[in-house]
Amino acid sequence: MIPLGLKNTGATYQCLVNKLLEPLIDKTMKVYVDNKIVKGKTDGDHGHDLRKAFDIVRAFSLRLNPKKCVFGVRPGQFFYFMISSRGIEANLDKIQAVLDMKPPRSVREVQHLTGCIAALGRFMFRSANKCQPFFRILRK
């Protein structure tokens, strides 16, 4: 367990999870902070992929909250993503919400915008480079 209130705990946790689940990430699993999605094209593949994920969780004594676990999700919206037979894609509603945002007028609004872009960043080519003007504003 990581103590709350310390700096960089989220980033530290994300690095840990990425390292432990590295063999599965981008093959059969997507991970974003505490959201983990195991995908499979068929039920048999999915069961095998879940077994691999659970084996890693067990090997490193990680814990899952059963109240937050969902199994057998069919294609559709899940968290901020769309799950389909093609894989995990950006949710078009979330993209449209960013496109419809008013230009930010305060530091707080810039932070909100960069957070939204970060959530969608895995679907954008060089999103960090495109956000450089926002990051410069936040540095001041």
Side-chain angles (χ1 to χ4, degrees), residues 28-140:
T28 61
M29 187 176 218
K30 294 288 185 184
V31 177
Y32 182 72
V33 190
D34 61 347
N35 297 320
K36 294 155 193 68
I37 300 173
V38 178
K39 56 186 180 171
K41 291 198 183 275
T42 66
D43 289 341
D45 289 345
H46 188 60
H48 181 69
D49 297 335
L50 274 173
R51 170 63 53 202
K52 287 182 190 176
F54 286 144
D55 287 345
I56 291 172
V57 166
R58 188 175 297 112
F60 291 99
S61 300
L62 298 176
R63 294 189 182 144
L64 301 174
N65 184 344
K67 292 179 183 175
K68 294 183 179 181
C69 292
V70 180
F71 297 95
V73 174
R74 296 290 169 207
Q77 184 176 337
F78 192 69
F79 293 117
Y80 292 99
F81 309 108
M82 293 299 292
I83 299 174
S84 72
S85 60
R86 294 185 306 269
I88 298 172
E89 302 170 339
N91 183 340
L92 296 178
D93 294 338
K94 301 297 179 185
I95 293 171
Q96 193 60 48
V98 172
L99 293 174
D100 293 343
M101 279 183 174
K102 295 177 185 169
R105 300 191 184 280
S106 67
V107 170
R108 187 84 171 136
E109 289 176 357
V110 172
Q111 289 171 331
H112 177 71
L113 175 61
T114 56
C116 292
I117 293 171
L120 296 169
R122 68 171 23 144
F123 305 106
M124 297 168 47
F125 181 70
R126 295 189 178 188
S127 65
N129 292 346
K130 293 174 183 173
C131 290
Q132 284 300 320
F134 302 128
F135 298 142
R136 279 194 288 276
I137 288 170
L138 294 174
R139 248 186 262 145
K140 295 178 180 177

